[in-house]
Amino acid sequence: MRLSDAPLIGRDAIADRVRALAAEISSDYAERDLVLVAVLKGAIHFVSDLQRALTIPATLDFVRARSYAGLSSSGSAEIFSEPTVDLAGRHVLIVEDILDTGVTASAIFTRFGAVNPASLDFCTLLDKPSRRKVEVPVRYTGFTIEDRFVVGYGMDYEERYRGLKDIFVLEGLD
Ligand code: IMP
Ligand code: MG
C-alpha cells in the first residue's frame, strides 16, 4: 500500500476550486441565513477553507457520521451527533469531503429534513458517481473523480493521511 507518486489533485487546484465554490455559494445565499454543517472528520479542512473564502456570513456546525469500516461501505450510516444550532427555518448546506455510495448523505438528508430547514442542500468536494447506490441531490461539487481510493486534505485511510495538503490515490489496496 502506497501513495501515488503525484497528487491526483494538488493544493493549488484545490484552492482554486474552493474559491470558485465559495463565490457561487456566496452569491446563491446572499441575504440568507446560511448554516454550514460539515461532516466530521473528513470535511474539516474543506469547510475551514470554504468558510474563509465566503463573502457572506455563515454559521458553522458539525455532524459526525460514518458509513465506512476500512474500504468497504457498510451500506448503512451511523450519525453520532446532532448539530448544536437550531436548523429550523434556516438555509442548511451540508458539507462533505467525498460522496461515494450516497448512504451517508442520504441518512443526513433524512435526519435534517425532519427539523424543517428553509432549504437543505449538499456540497461535496469530491464525487465518485460510479459508486452510487442511493441517489443524492448534489448542488455543489468540487471535482468528479474515478473509482479510486483517495486520501489527504481531510480524507483518511484508517485515520492516516488526513493532514496531507494534496489529495493522493492510495495504491495497492487489493
Ligand atoms: P458513502 O456513504 O458511501 O457515500 O460514504 C461517504 C464517506 O465514505 C465519505 O464521507 C468518506 O468519509 C468515506 N469515503 C468514501 N470514499 C473514500 C475515499 O476514496 N477515501 C477516503 N474516504 C472515503
Ligand atoms: Mg466523510
Side-chain angles (χ1 to χ4, degrees):
M1 191 179 75
R2 57 190 281 277
L3 296 179
S4 52
D5 291 333
L8 179 68
I9 308 170
R11 63 196 73 180
D12 294 343
I14 296 171
D16 286 352
R17 192 67 191 114
V18 170
R19 266 195 297 274
L21 286 173
E24 211 181 320
I25 292 167
S26 298
S27 143
D28 292 348
Y29 288 87
E31 312 300 324
R32 296 211 166 145
D33 183 13
L34 172 62
V35 185
L36 302 173
V37 180
V39 184
L40 292 172
K41 302 173 193 170
I44 182 82
H45 301 313
F46 176 41
V47 79
S48 167
D49 288 342
L50 185 72
Q51 184 176 32
R52 286 177 295 168
L54 293 176
T55 56
I56 58 167
T59 299
L60 179 61
D61 209 341
F62 297 94
V63 67
R64 185 134 182 230
R66 189 165 62 104
S67 73
Y68 251 59
L71 289 175
S72 58
S73 177
S74 64
S76 66
E78 262 179 291
I79 298 183
F80 292 106
S81 55
E82 304 275 345
T84 58
V85 299
D86 189 7
L87 302 178
R90 306 181 75 183
H91 293 273
V92 175
L93 184 61
I94 300 160
V95 180
E96 252 289 32
D97 53 354
I98 180 162
L99 183 58
D100 189 37
T101 64
V103 168
T104 309
S106 98
I108 291 172
F109 261 103
T110 305
R111 177 75 65 98
F112 292 171
V115 302
N116 296 314
S119 66
L120 182 59
D121 282 285
F122 197 83
C123 172
T124 187
L125 178 66
L126 303 181
D127 186 6
K128 289 198 263 192
S130 64
R131 298 254 311 160
R132 199 78 84 254
K133 289 185 192 154
V134 186
E135 272 320 303
V136 177
V138 187
R139 184 157 182 198
Y140 305 98
T141 303
F143 301 91
T144 299
I145 63 167
E146 308 282 301
D147 181 13
R148 322 278 292 277
F149 198 85
V150 294
V151 295
Y153 196 64
M155 288 168 283
D156 75 308
Y157 173 65
E158 296 182 345
E159 298 302 327
R160 295 173 62 196
Y161 308 117
R162 288 195 202 276
L164 298 176
K165 292 188 170 70
D166 311 284
I167 296 171
F168 291 87
V169 174
L170 197 59
E171 294 173 339
L173 280 169
D174 34 39

